[in-house]
Structure formats: C-alpha cells, structure tokens
Amino acid sequence: MAKHILLIIGGGIAAYKSLFLIRVLARRGIKSTVILTKGGSEFVTALSAGGLSGEKVYTDLFDLTAEAEMGHIELSRSADLVVVAPATADLMAKAAHGIANDLATTTLLATDKRTLYAPAMNVRMWDNPATQRNMKLLQKDGALFIGPDEGEMACGEFGHGRMAEPEAIADTIEKILKGDTTLDGLRGPKPLKGKKALITAGPTREPIDPVRYLSNHSSGKQGYAIAAALGRLGAEVTLVSGPVAIDPPACAKLVKVETARDMLAACEAAMPADIFVSVAAVADWRTDGCAEIKIKKGKSGIPALKLVENPDILASIATAENRPELVIGFAAETNDVIKHAKAKLSKKQCDWIVANDVSGDVMGGDHNSLIVVTKGGEEVFPKLTKTDAARRLAEKIAAELT
Ligand code: CTP
C-alpha cells in the first residue's frame, strides 16, 4: 500500500520548500495530505499545496465541511507519519506543552503516529533556551527532528535555523517509513548510549545435505526492527542473523550465520553485552550429521532423518558467567500464550519473555501483538506494526536500564 504522510506546513519563509517536499515525496510514491496553518498560508497558498499533493488541503479546525469529510481526530490518525515542516518556534512550543488551539496543534496532540519536525527559524530563536527546552520535551515524548541546517538565513543572519533541504527530509521520511531507525542526522534522546546490545534474529538453517536444509518461516523483521530501535536509542548493537531477505539497519554490526551452533558461537564472540534480545527462531533440532554429498532418491528408499537437539542460545547466554544485565527471550506460541511464556521465563532464566501469538499471520507479516511477561507481571502491547512494537520494547528496555 502506498505510504502516506500528514504534512503540517507552519508559518515561515521555508514553507515554499515544503511545496518541493510534496513533489519529491510524490516522485518516491509517498502521498502527502497537507494541513496549512494560518501562518503558513501567509507564505504559500492552499491552492498550490493542494495542486501539488492532489489532495484537499486542511486549514481550519472549525470547518464543518471538512469535519464531515474527515474529522480532525481521524485526520491525525490517517497517515503513517506526521511531518511538521517548517516547524516554527511557536508550533514547537505549543506541541511541547499540549496546547491545541488550531487544526495543526490539535492534530499534533491527537495523533498516535510518530512525528518528525523540520525546524526553521531565526538563529537566535533557535538558540533561545525556551526553544531548546521545547525540542528536548518533544524528543522526550518520542518526536524526531531533522535539522535545522547551518547557513545564511532569509533574515540575513548566519547560523543554525535553515530548514533541512526537501531531498534530505524525504530521505529521512523514507527511512522512517521503512522502519530504518538509524536516522542519520536526526536528533533524538540516546538513553542507551554506552550500552551494548546483542540481538539474534531470523531463522537458522540446519543442513541435511549440501542442497537441503531444515528451517522455518521467520522473516527476521521483528528482530531487525528491535536492533534498529535499540540503535536509535544510542545502544551499540550487534545483530546476529540467520538467512533473511531484508536489509539490516545501518546502525547495527551484522554477523551472518546459518546454523544454531554458528549463532551460539557468534553470540559468545560478541559478548560481553548489557542487553541480550533473543528474537531468532532457532531450529530446535538439526540432523545428526550433514551428508557430504547430495542424498539420491531411489536406492535405499526414503531416508530417515535422525535429529539431535540444538543448543539453546537464550538459556546459554542467560546462564553465562558474564550474563548481560537484561536478558530477553521471545516465545512464539499458538496457544496458552501467557502460560507458556511464564514457563519459559523460569526455564530459560531470562528477565523478560516477550510472548507473541503466532497462530495468525505474524511470521513474515508486518504486525505483531506482543505481551511482555516479567517476574513482576505482564504488559500487553496493542497490535502494532513490527517497527512500532520494536520502538515500544526498546523504550521499555531503556526505562529499565536508566
Ligand atoms: N531459543 C534459543 N535457542 C534455541 C531455541 C530457542 O535461543 N535452540 C530462544 C528463541 O530465540 C526465543 C526463545 O528461545 O527467544 C523461545 O523460543 P521458542 O521456539 O518459542 O521456544 P522453545 O524453547 O523452542 O520451546 P518450544 O518450541 O517447545 O515452545
């Protein structure tokens, strides 16, 4: 499905760049719905924004026609990402304090989506402690920032205050929408700075002969998203991954493995770590030896596979001498999810088990419904995209360790 952003154009001279942004995004297949603030409409017109986006432009909170078509709450939830560009000092201040006195600020307060701010203002306004304080408050609430860039400004002064260029904002939007949370150039809180995180992801492959193997349907999406989310919060991430078809987050050091035994060796080599998240769908069994040449049909009938148990990577790391401070396992279950998760928590001696019900289309799909089972109780996450679930888990990890 085509991706879709909600673009709030604030009142600044940089508003004209946001018109370019709409075009750049459209060329990349990303649709923009525009909210034009009163200030924004002093710089660009709803007609030009609407012409470029091919969509109705929303301007007024109390526009009954617009409310009938799409209420402001619905508008705030309709997109995959909310982008504020240019983000003025005024918009940032209002959003930071939950003031909602027009359509843009009401939408920012009502949205359940990530928000990316591209600030643009005079350098003194940007440097003012009030603006810096507001940025930090917004970041603390999970908002992302790109820019402002340094350079000459429309007012003639020089310094930080120019809105990031549309291509750069579009690159960042694409990264966010793809779930890549490395987000170079973005400011954000880094509560896990100085912490090392080790993540396993994807399936393992256990060879039968040189051309055949035993494996499972794991796509690696959830593990990769967790690696990215921890990296975004400042952790130094090693991602030990079985064979998958997705790109690794740029922030992680990727170690590619095939078998469960390789995965365990790679994890041990990557220790010590402060956080271990065992997301991999490790094959529980491997064949008792891999045939050196391809097993041929016919001669001796159907071959019987003798299986032996693979090492339990999670249990090994959880009981290692240099055990990470926080050890998190996953429990893929199709029934009695919490009961099984609790049993795994004690059996594998980990601190949390993240239970997920894989009875539906979770494996390979883009959504997950997670329940974090800890010794103290359970936290149920709503059904979220794997990226959002990863972000929420990473934030919980950060809260635990800081
Ligand atoms: N795990 C592991 N090494 C294994 C098997 C599992 O590290 N050999 C980890 C997984 O990464 C996951 C957790 O253990 O974090 C639970 O995996 P799961 O397959 O749900 O549990 P199993 O221990 O295999 O038990 P069962 O298949 O009987 O449910």
Side-chain angles (χ1 to χ4, degrees):
M1 218 172 65
K3 292 287 183 182
H4 175 195
I5 67 150
L6 183 64
L7 175 62
I8 297 177
I9 303 182
I13 187 76
Y16 78 93
K17 288 199 203 172
S18 298
L19 298 182
F20 285 101
L21 177 62
I22 299 171
R23 278 185 60 182
V24 175
L25 289 173
R27 272 193 229 121
R28 300 184 189 195
I30 300 168
K31 208 171 84 169
S32 307
T33 299
V34 175
I35 292 180
L36 189 60
T37 65
K38 199 158 177 293
S41 66
E42 300 287 336
F43 294 91
V44 295
T45 65
L47 208 58
S48 41
L52 286 163
S53 69
E55 294 258 327
K56 178 183 165 65
V57 172
Y58 295 83
T59 49
D60 195 348
L61 180 58
F62 302 108
D63 177 342
L64 286 180
T65 328
E67 279 292 313
E69 281 170 20
M70 185 190 282
H72 64 278
I73 301 289
E74 204 183 328
L75 187 61
S76 74
R77 313 255 158 110
S78 61
D80 300 297
L81 176 73
V82 179
V83 179
V84 189
T88 59
D90 177 62
L91 268 175
M92 284 172 56
K94 283 180 179 154
H97 293 90
I99 295 171
N101 59 356
D102 62 9
L103 182 59
T105 48
T106 310
T107 305
L108 286 168
L109 197 62
T111 189
D112 59 351
K113 298 292 162 30
R114 292 220 90 174
T115 308
L116 173 68
Y117 288 84
M121 64 196 76
N122 168 275
V123 60
R124 287 178 209 284
M125 290 171 75
W126 175 251
D127 285 341
N128 189 295
T131 306
Q132 291 300 308
R133 206 164 44 236
N134 291 333
M135 176 181 71
K136 290 200 181 87
L137 280 175
L138 291 166
Q139 286 177 329
K140 215 162 156 248
D141 294 339
L144 297 166
F145 279 77
I146 178 165
D149 293 346
E150 198 176 27
E152 201 177 329
M153 276 168 281
C155 56
E157 283 190 86
F158 188 90
H160 277 107
R162 282 166 63 105
M163 188 169 93
E165 292 306 317
E167 291 280 351
I169 300 176
D171 287 349
T172 302
I173 290 172
E174 259 189 332
K175 280 189 188 174
I176 300 171
L177 294 177
K178 271 192 197 150
D180 173 0
T181 34
T182 52
L183 304 176
D184 295 336
L186 286 190
R187 295 185 171 87
K190 305 278 178 233
L192 292 175
K193 203 166 175 356
K195 300 279 183 201
K196 281 179 74 178
L198 175 59
I199 322 295
T200 65
T204 64
R205 264 184 199 172
E206 311 298 333
I208 297 171
D209 68 14
V211 296
R212 303 182 177 94
Y213 57 81
L214 296 173
S215 192
N216 58 63
H217 291 298
S218 170
S219 65
K221 283 181 192 167
Q222 187 63 82
Y224 276 45
I226 291 169
L230 289 170
R232 190 174 51 77
L233 294 187
E236 186 191 320
V237 179
T238 303
L239 175 61
V240 178
S241 173
V244 294
I246 54 174
D247 290 331
C251 65
K253 179 176 167 229
L254 180 70
V255 184
K256 289 186 187 173
V257 295
E258 293 253 331
T259 67
R261 285 180 297 171
D262 293 344
M263 189 173 267
L264 175 60
C267 287
E268 284 170 345
M271 292 279 277
D274 303 287
I275 305 156
F276 178 58
V277 193
S278 183
V279 198
V282 185
D284 290 318
W285 307 283
R286 65 177 185 276
T287 55
D288 190 8
C290 167
E292 271 178 29
I293 52 170
K294 187 180 170 195
I295 302 171
K296 297 300 271 181
K297 271 204 304 282
K299 274 188 193 151
S300 41
I302 298 170
L305 291 181
K306 182 165 183 263
L307 300 180
V308 290
E309 196 158 338
N310 264 331
D312 192 311
I313 301 164
L314 174 57
S316 305
I317 300 289
T319 52
E321 237 173 60
N322 54 354
R323 181 191 199 276
E325 190 180 342
L326 189 60
V327 175
I328 304 171
F330 265 66
E333 308 292 351
T334 53
N335 58 295
D336 296 325
V337 177
I338 294 181
K339 194 176 127 209
H340 288 308
K342 281 187 175 156
K344 274 177 198 169
L345 188 69
S346 64
K347 190 175 117 202
K348 304 209 179 197
Q349 297 191 39
C350 40
D351 302 297
W352 302 351
I353 282 282
V354 182
N356 63 340
D357 187 339
V358 290
S359 56
D361 58 354
V362 165
M363 277 198 152
D366 289 323
H367 289 80
N368 226 343
S369 304
L370 302 179
I371 304 171
V372 184
V373 180
T374 68
K375 282 161 200 151
E378 293 128 39
E379 186 181 339
V380 181
F381 290 3
K383 184 174 180 192
L384 295 168
T385 63
K386 287 184 176 175
T387 308
D388 284 339
R391 177 159 54 96
R392 187 138 166 197
L393 184 67
E395 279 160 7
K396 188 172 168 69
I397 291 171
E400 179 75 13
L401 295 184
T402 50

